[in-house]
Amino acid sequence: MTNSQRQRILFIDDIPSFCEEIVSTLRAEELDAQSMLSPLEAIAQIIRGEFDLVITTLVIAELGGFEIIRRIRGAGCRVPIIMITGFGTDQSAIEAARLGVADYLTKPVEKTELVARVRRILADHAPREPQRPKSLARMISGDSQMSAIFEKVKTIAPSDSRVLILGETGCGKQLLAHAIHQQSRRAQEPYIEVNCAAIPASLLESELFGHEEGAFTGASKKRIGRFESAGKGTIFLDEIGELSFELQSKLLHVLDSGKFTRVGGGNDMYSQARLVSATNRDLLKEVEAGRFRSDLYYRLNVISIELPPLRDRPGDIGILAQHFINQFAPEGKQPPTFTPSAVEALRQYHWPGNVRELQNFAEQLAVLHQTPRIEVTDLPAHVLKRNAKPALAPKDMASERLPFREARDQFERDYLLKAIQDAGGNMAEGARLAGMDRGQFYRLAKRHGLTSSSE
């Protein structure tokens, strides 16, 4: 481990000679240790995540050891803590265990014993290399569903087959279409995007196929259409379910023969572009309803990829939120990071706008947030709202046939998370709101993964 990676240790006590003794002992073993005489100053630095291990004595004039621990834990900080006391009793040992102390030593402290326990705890809590999210062009994800989609894209991209991308608005269909182009043999050729829902139906034919001068009122000069501009590259038709029936017929002709003509023109043009399309509609239902041509649907749907909504890949929420924060942080400003409880709150939100909504939310935070950490209390009210992600009612649980234990665990987790959110991430306050013993509340929260310090 390099110096920049060395784990930092803080010792808290109000007796300078004892501080010097402990710090000297640890430094003699090449451990990065320092001491502080003021618990209040120490707590502020600990909560900011500046230390990897805290050692505190029980009796300190300014603030007792147990209260130090309560304040650290109450702020949601999960740094491991060793307590040293000259007044060891069964009761104090029990209280230390309830507060989540990693180890408990009584004076006089044997130097070799202290070093051994410190090394063991540091090893147990050493930062582990997180699993790196996978990337594809401008897309990143740590989700297994998305990983499978990335692999599928790498397989199909070199072909000339048409691809139909399905998924809700804002889930990343545009990015995936561009990734298909970038992974293909056409990557050096043009990539042309057309949003079929954003262009009036009366102008869309001209947009796609171009027009000749004088073809209609206002056509003062010849226009090159998107199919012609795409050349041998890729043309991406987004929201293709919005095409009128007449345009569907003309697109079908292009796919069948490769031929098209400019509006008002008589000469056949030939398209050599690969077509990738996308829609948030269920095209099969549109076919059944008579609003979409079945023959066009089957020509578009040679290979289909369905992108899951963000709510179905909660592991990506923290990854993407931090990615967008880093991306949008103003130049010269250190991007803030999310606390574990804030990430958990984001995961509980339904994200109806999918990745696009998360991106806009993160951009706002990146610009406006002024502190290094983003806490639960910094999140917008609509994200924290109780009904943002509806909980399963008893009737819903029954319809899903959840086993009793799973239903109980789900209720416990939702209840604890709501208490933590209402308490602004303060675990001690969350326990008070829930009317529970702090130790019991913390143990339950830990069991449900609501106290983890790593995401």
Side-chain angles (χ1 to χ4, degrees), residues 181-404:
H181 174 72
Q182 287 188 312
Q183 296 287 317
S184 75
R185 295 190 300 265
R186 303 168 183 256
Q188 302 306 314
E189 302 291 340
Y191 173 75
I192 304 296
E193 285 190 10
V194 182
N195 187 326
C196 300
I199 302 170
S202 59
L203 300 178
L204 188 54
E205 182 179 0
S206 170
E207 189 73 24
L208 292 176
F209 306 124
H211 64 253
E212 298 289 353
E213 181 181 348
F216 50 83
T217 303
S220 58
K221 59 182 179 180
K222 181 174 72 175
R223 176 187 174 88
I224 302 299
R226 299 300 185 92
F227 270 92
E228 191 173 347
S229 298
K232 296 180 180 179
T234 302
I235 183 166
F236 172 51
L237 301 184
D238 197 7
E239 303 301 350
I240 198 166
E242 308 301 320
L243 286 181
S244 67
F245 222 76
E246 181 184 0
L247 265 183
Q248 289 177 36
S249 298
K250 293 186 176 182
L251 178 60
L252 178 65
H253 177 69
V254 176
L255 299 185
D256 278 343
S257 66
K259 297 178 184 178
F260 66 93
T261 57
R262 298 190 188 117
V263 177
N267 296 326
D268 284 339
M269 315 278 299
Y270 290 87
S271 171
Q272 300 181 65
R274 180 189 195 173
L275 178 65
V276 178
S277 55
T279 181
N280 61 2
R281 291 177 179 265
D282 185 331
L283 286 188
L284 272 179
K285 286 186 178 179
E286 296 295 299
V287 169
E288 292 168 2
R291 292 187 292 266
F292 202 86
R293 295 184 59 123
S294 60
D295 44 5
L296 176 58
Y297 169 73
Y298 289 113
R299 281 166 178 77
L300 294 173
N301 191 26
V302 177
I303 298 172
S304 66
I305 299 176
E306 185 162 4
L307 279 175
L310 187 58
R311 63 182 173 275
D312 287 349
R313 41 188 173 112
D316 273 354
I317 292 173
I319 292 171
L320 290 172
Q322 192 61 57
H323 170 74
F324 292 135
I325 288 280
N326 297 343
Q327 177 181 329
F328 292 116
E331 188 175 351
K333 178 183 177 183
Q334 181 67 26
T337 58
F338 292 90
T339 63
S341 54
V343 171
E344 186 58 36
L346 294 180
R347 287 177 175 175
Q348 295 302 308
Y349 178 56
H350 197 57
W351 296 106
N354 287 297
V355 178
R356 189 173 298 143
E357 181 185 3
L358 179 62
Q359 180 178 352
N360 293 339
F361 154 80
E363 181 175 0
Q364 182 182 35
L365 271 181
V367 174
L368 297 178
H369 195 75
Q370 297 301 314
T371 60
R373 301 281 275 168
I374 301 171
E375 307 284 350
V376 171
T377 49
D378 298 317
L379 303 181
H382 73 275
V383 170
L384 299 176
K385 205 160 146 184
R386 180 186 294 271
N387 63 354
K389 184 174 181 180
L392 287 177
K395 180 175 70 174
D396 299 322
M397 290 182 179
S399 67
E400 290 202 357
R401 294 185 176 86
L402 285 179
F404 173 76

Side-chain angles (χ1 to χ4, degrees), residues 6 22-35:
R6 290 179 67 185
I22 295 295
V23 169
S24 296
T25 297
L26 297 174
R27 287 180 177 174
E29 297 295 324
E30 298 186 346
L31 293 165
D32 187 358
Q34 68 181 78
S35 64

Side-chain angles (χ1 to χ4, degrees), residues 32-262:
D32 187 358
Q34 68 181 78
S35 64
M36 295 186 71
L37 300 172
S38 169
L40 292 176
E41 292 179 15
I43 288 169
Q45 293 188 33
I46 292 165
I47 291 172
R48 288 199 297 266
E50 297 182 14
F51 298 97
D52 302 288
L53 173 64
V54 174
I55 306 171
T56 181
T57 55
L58 177 59
V59 180
I60 304 175
E62 185 181 52
L63 199 68
F66 286 146
E67 187 56 30
I68 292 172
I69 297 169
R70 290 188 186 102
R71 295 193 185 192
I72 293 171
R73 294 295 186 243
C77 179
R78 303 264 50 92
V79 63
I81 300 171
I82 296 175
M83 173 166 280
I84 296 176
T85 178
F87 305 93
T89 65
D90 289 343
Q91 188 58 42
S92 61
I94 292 170
E95 179 64 12
R98 288 177 62 238
L99 292 172
V101 169
D103 213 335
Y104 183 85
L105 295 170
T106 56
K107 295 179 181 179
V109 178
E110 291 288 337
K111 293 181 179 181
T112 54
E113 182 68 15
L114 173 64
V115 170
R117 296 197 186 194
V118 164
R119 288 196 184 283
R120 176 180 59 79
I121 293 169
L122 288 176
D124 289 344
H125 294 81
R128 290 171 175 78
E129 187 70 25
Q131 186 174 358
R132 291 176 62 86
K134 293 191 176 181
S135 62
L136 179 73
R138 291 181 291 159
M139 303 181 76
I140 63 168
S141 176
D143 181 78
S144 59
Q145 299 174 83
M146 295 298 292
S147 178
I149 288 172
F150 289 177
E151 291 304 314
K152 185 174 184 179
V153 166
K154 291 174 184 177
T155 300
I156 66 174
S159 75
D160 292 326
S161 299
R162 299 177 195 124
V163 181
L164 176 62
I165 305 173
L166 307 170
E168 295 179 6
T169 298
C171 67
K173 299 189 293 294
Q174 279 181 297
L175 286 176
L176 192 67
H178 193 249
I180 291 170
H181 174 72
Q182 287 188 312
Q183 296 287 317
S184 75
R185 295 190 300 265
R186 303 168 183 256
Q188 302 306 314
E189 302 291 340
Y191 173 75
I192 304 296
E193 285 190 10
V194 182
N195 187 326
C196 300
I199 302 170
S202 59
L203 300 178
L204 188 54
E205 182 179 0
S206 170
E207 189 73 24
L208 292 176
F209 306 124
H211 64 253
E212 298 289 353
E213 181 181 348
F216 50 83
T217 303
S220 58
K221 59 182 179 180
K222 181 174 72 175
R223 176 187 174 88
I224 302 299
R226 299 300 185 92
F227 270 92
E228 191 173 347
S229 298
K232 296 180 180 179
T234 302
I235 183 166
F236 172 51
L237 301 184
D238 197 7
E239 303 301 350
I240 198 166
E242 308 301 320
L243 286 181
S244 67
F245 222 76
E246 181 184 0
L247 265 183
Q248 289 177 36
S249 298
K250 293 186 176 182
L251 178 60
L252 178 65
H253 177 69
V254 176
L255 299 185
D256 278 343
S257 66
K259 297 178 184 178
F260 66 93
T261 57
R262 298 190 188 117

